[in-house]
Amino acid sequence: MTQSDENNTVPKRTKRPDEKPGKLAYSVPGAAEALSLSVDYVWKLVAMGELPSVKIGKRRLIEADKLRAFLKNR
């Protein structure tokens, strides 16, 4: 690589340790894993309305902010 090539390259951005891509929503199994609960129990919470969820197509998703609010209120 010549010196002119080195000057024209854009350095790759490195992620800071505190930069983590956030999830927007969790599937029921994903929420169960995040909460360290069984999938059946998370389904029960959704059915009782204690854990708000949305249905998109055939998938049931729990928004990340709703999951955080659920944990905060417990």
Side-chain angles (χ1 to χ4, degrees):
M1 192 182 275
T2 66
Q3 188 175 10
S4 62
D5 289 338
E6 290 175 14
N7 293 335
N8 292 331
T9 59
V10 178
K12 291 183 181 179
R13 183 173 181 263
T14 58
K15 282 189 175 186
R16 296 186 334 222
D18 59 337
E19 281 186 58
K20 293 183 182 176
K23 280 190 158 198
L24 295 176
Y26 291 85
S27 63
V28 172
E33 183 178 336
L35 295 170
S36 297
L37 298 172
S38 72
V39 174
D40 288 339
Y41 188 67
V42 173
W43 274 115
K44 189 178 200 177
L45 291 170
V46 168
M48 292 187 306
E50 292 189 37
L51 187 56
S53 65
V54 294
K55 189 166 185 182
I56 300 176
K58 293 181 178 184
R59 296 195 65 194
R60 177 71 57 181
L61 298 174
I62 300 159
E63 295 176 62
D65 58 337
K66 305 287 187 201
L67 194 63
R68 283 190 289 278
F70 172 80
L71 282 173
K72 188 176 179 181
N73 294 328
R74 290 288 167 166

